[in-house]
Amino acid sequence: MTDPRSSSTPPGDANASEPSGARAPGPRPLAPGLYIVATPIGNLRDITLRALDVLAGADRVFAEDTRVTQKLLSAHGLGARLDSYHEHNEARAGASALAALEAGERVALVSDAGTPLISDPGYRLVRAAIAAGHSVFPIPGPSAVLAALCAAGLPSDRFLFAGFLPAKAGPRARAIGEVADLRATLVFYESGPRLAEALAALAATLGPRDGVVARELTKMFEEFRRDRLDALAVHYAQAPAPKGEIVILVGPPEGADAPDPDEVDAALKAALAHLSVKDAADEVARRFALPRRDVYARALALKDAL
Ligand code: SAM
């Protein structure tokens, strides 16, 4: 078994390194391996040429719901051998996908919408394929998290995608608390019936911030509602539960500009006087709400200079 942490150069796609400005080449034969194929999140035209090539050329396409994928394939005039792969048959379907890979086949994985593995099944299969030494090819395309982020009007230089919040109040409040201090835009997936509760919980823990509710992206009733987080919570508490699919985005903490580097260094030096590099970095990262990895690197440099 190959160590999944090791890196290898996969045979790749023969189209991969076209000179810029060159005309997009036609499809070439697919190399054996696992293809993670992004599909539309609403508008069926949001599919890449390469995704269509892979779906047309794969020996087998594993789909979360074969009926949904059949519709997509039919809309593009494609036929493919479809098998189901979803969270309730992951073990069995995963074994069958691995057997196909073992036999040298080209295997595609798609979810109902967007990018597989993003709040969707597929992670275990990708891990197992890598461990067994197979190539895994990303076929990038739509994902609701990026579609929402790029049009929300919130800072996009740093963001945290936190998936779905827990449904129960206690675990939900804890999950929000864990990300409250991050200097990043927060992105959550949510459903209509739970939207008002989720916004109220976010407003209660995160305080005054900008928020955006992005609904039905790329579909006929696409909508962005941009407001303060507490105002959004009030709006949706008073309105009927919205229909359709939803992404919630929350801007970074306000008035939280980057701390003075001299102050951070002084705190690190003080902490290094009685703590290990790791503990000093942990403490200072927490105090200034900075990424632990960056503070650890700075702590190492300061320790060396001491
Ligand atoms: N894998 C998908 C992706 O890459 O975005 C996400 C799958 S997850 C099971 C489904 C959730 O994604 C929905 O509940 C919603 O929060 C979000 N979502 C998917 N499509 C969306 C759309 N067109 N508009 C807004 N949110 C969407």
Side-chain angles (χ1 to χ4, degrees):
M1 239 193 197
T2 308
D3 181 344
R5 289 162 302 183
S6 69
S7 70
S8 64
T9 310
D13 181 329
N15 290 336
S17 55
E18 291 301 321
S20 64
R23 210 178 135 76
R28 305 223 183 122
L30 298 177
L34 176 63
Y35 291 77
I36 307 300
V37 183
T39 58
I41 57 170
N43 188 322
L44 287 187
R45 294 187 66 77
D46 285 335
I47 183 130
T48 68
L49 297 175
R50 196 162 167 239
L52 292 175
D53 292 346
V54 169
L55 293 174
D59 299 298
R60 297 172 72 168
V61 176
F62 282 82
E64 203 183 352
D65 183 334
T66 52
R67 289 163 306 178
V68 172
T69 304
Q70 187 56 61
K71 256 193 221 159
L72 174 72
L73 293 175
S74 303
H76 292 284
L78 300 177
R81 174 167 172 196
L82 284 174
D83 292 287
S84 79
Y85 180 95
H86 48 71
E87 60 176 331
H88 305 296
N89 77 349
E90 248 188 323
R92 191 162 36 82
S96 153
L98 282 173
L101 289 168
E102 212 53 56
E105 293 189 1
R106 290 82 49 91
V107 175
L109 177 70
V110 297
S111 56
D112 284 354
T115 302
L117 281 83
I118 307 303
S119 291
D120 265 336
Y123 167 70
R124 287 196 187 88
L125 177 57
V126 167
R127 283 285 291 186
I130 293 168
H134 302 296
S135 298
V136 179
F137 304 105
I139 308 297
S143 188
V145 50
L146 293 185
L149 183 70
C150 72
L154 295 173
S156 54
D157 52 340
R158 277 165 64 88
F159 68 93
L160 177 92
F161 171 58
F164 287 96
L165 284 167
K168 291 199 176 138
R172 182 171 55 211
R174 276 196 292 284
I176 297 171
E178 278 169 15
V179 296
D181 291 335
L182 289 180
R183 284 167 212 282
T185 290
L186 307 174
V187 188
F188 305 93
Y189 283 169
E190 196 44 276
S191 68
R194 296 216 312 242
L195 176 65
E197 260 183 56
L199 286 168
L202 287 164
T205 303
L206 302 179
R209 296 195 194 187
D210 286 334
V212 177
V213 173
R215 198 171 66 82
E216 293 288 85
L217 295 166
T218 78
K219 302 186 198 177
M220 188 178 298
F221 297 108
E222 178 177 276
E223 175 188 52
F224 285 87
R225 183 170 283 271
R226 305 174 177 91
D227 209 329
R228 302 294 285 168
L229 196 49
D230 54 351
L232 286 173
V234 169
H235 171 84
Y236 285 104
Q238 291 169 350
K243 294 205 164 57
E245 303 196 273
I246 290 164
V247 181
I248 302 175
L249 304 98
V250 182
E254 290 170 13
D257 291 336
D260 181 348
D262 289 342
E263 242 185 89
V264 177
D265 278 5
L268 270 176
K269 282 180 191 160
L272 284 167
H274 61 279
L275 293 175
S276 68
V277 172
K278 182 183 171 306
D279 289 346
D282 281 354
E283 185 189 294
V284 172
R286 205 169 28 249
R287 180 156 16 126
F288 289 91
L290 289 169
R292 205 180 313 173
R293 201 173 42 176
D294 295 353
V295 180
Y296 183 73
R298 184 66 191 147
L300 272 181
L302 287 173
K303 178 87 179 168
D304 286 347
L306 281 179

